[in-house]
């Protein structure tokens, strides 16, 4: 018997992303976002939702661009920090030692030290309530060679990202490789 928990955001787990933006002076900023996901394949798009109070919110509205940087477990402390400290009060690049690299394609910085980054141009803005959802078309994905597999595509275990559990306010590592998707289910067609 299930117990009702009320209306809440318990879609577990969420990603842990670091959103890169520029302010009006061209100063880079980064903030952590968990309210996000892939939302279209063609064109490739991501959705990420920010509260209006975030410094990054104004940056996306004004520059119409952002990057999604995927942190690894090794970068968890810094990724958590940029989700606590606001650019309104802290120089997050000075503290973390991360390097902001200007994207050639959109007016947003990506983080050099992160192995996988997505450069996004803002295509839709949806005011949902406390959060505003920004839909970004991915104009390029960039990855370090070291995290690519033989087919030239990113390998999750090499990137070693981590996830977030909102009700527990905890980070979790990602477990073992379970096998091929779009494959296991095929055996049930013969049932
Ligand atoms: C794990 C985690 C997930 C977060 N997810 C979001 C999110 O999806 N949207 C949001 O607006 N803030 C989110 N935050 C809070 C912002 O990252 C935080 O308020 C940050 O300091 C904003 O920085 P800024 O004001 O420099 O933009 C999250 C924080 C953490 C630690």
């Amino acid at each position: 018997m299930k117990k009702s928990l009320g209306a809440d955001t318990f879609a577990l787990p969420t990603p842990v992303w670091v959103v890169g933006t520029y302010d009006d002076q061209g100063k880079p900023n980064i903030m952590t976002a968990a309210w996000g996901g892939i939302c279209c394949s063609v064109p490739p798009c991501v959705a990420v939702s920010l509260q209006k109070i975030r410094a990054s919110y104004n940056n996306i509205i004004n520059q119409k661009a952002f990057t999604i940087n995927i942190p690894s477990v090794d970068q968890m402390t810094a990724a958590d920090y940029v989700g606590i400290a606001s650019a309104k009060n802290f120089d997050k690049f000075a503290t973390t030692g991360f390097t902001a690299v200007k994207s050639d394609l959109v007016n947003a910085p990506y983080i050099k030290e992160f192995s996988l980054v997505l450069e996004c141009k803002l295509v839709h803005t949806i005011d949902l309530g406390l959060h505003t959802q920004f839909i970004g078309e991915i104009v390029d994905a960039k990855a370090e060679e070291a995290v690519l597999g033989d087919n030239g595509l990113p390998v999750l275990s090499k990137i070693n990202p981590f996830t977030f559990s909102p009700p527990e306010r905890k980070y979790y590592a990602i477990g073992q490789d379970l096998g091929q998707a779009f494959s296991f289910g095929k055996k049930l067609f013969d049932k």
Side-chain angles (χ1 to χ4, degrees), residues 111-176:
I111 307 172
K112 182 180 166 200
E113 288 78 8
F114 284 30
S115 62
L116 179 63
V117 303
L118 309 174
E119 296 159 279
C120 305
K121 77 171 180 201
L122 183 66
V123 289
H124 296 288
T125 300
I126 305 165
D127 189 346
L128 297 170
L130 182 60
H131 287 75
T132 297
Q133 186 182 46
F134 294 115
I135 313 271
E137 182 178 336
I138 301 168
V139 294
D140 195 28
K142 290 181 168 56
E144 294 295 329
E145 297 259 8
V147 300
L148 302 180
D150 293 340
N151 63 1
L153 298 177
V155 175
L156 186 135
S157 59
K158 295 184 182 208
I159 297 163
N160 199 19
F162 55 99
T163 62
F164 176 58
S165 172
E168 301 168 277
R169 303 191 104 196
K170 275 185 161 188
Y171 299 118
Y172 279 80
I174 292 172
Q176 82 262 34

Side-chain angles (χ1 to χ4, degrees), residues 1 17 21-22 26 36-37 49 55 67 88 92 95 100-102 105 115 119 122 127 131 143 147 155 158 160 170 190:
M1 175 84 162
W17 287 347
T21 55
Y22 280 126
S49 293
T67 63
K88 293 171 190 168
K92 294 190 243 185
T95 305
V101 179
K102 165 96 180 74
L105 302 168
S115 62
E119 296 159 279
L122 183 66
D127 189 346
H131 287 75
V147 300
V155 175
K158 295 184 182 208
N160 199 19
K170 275 185 161 188
D190 300 331

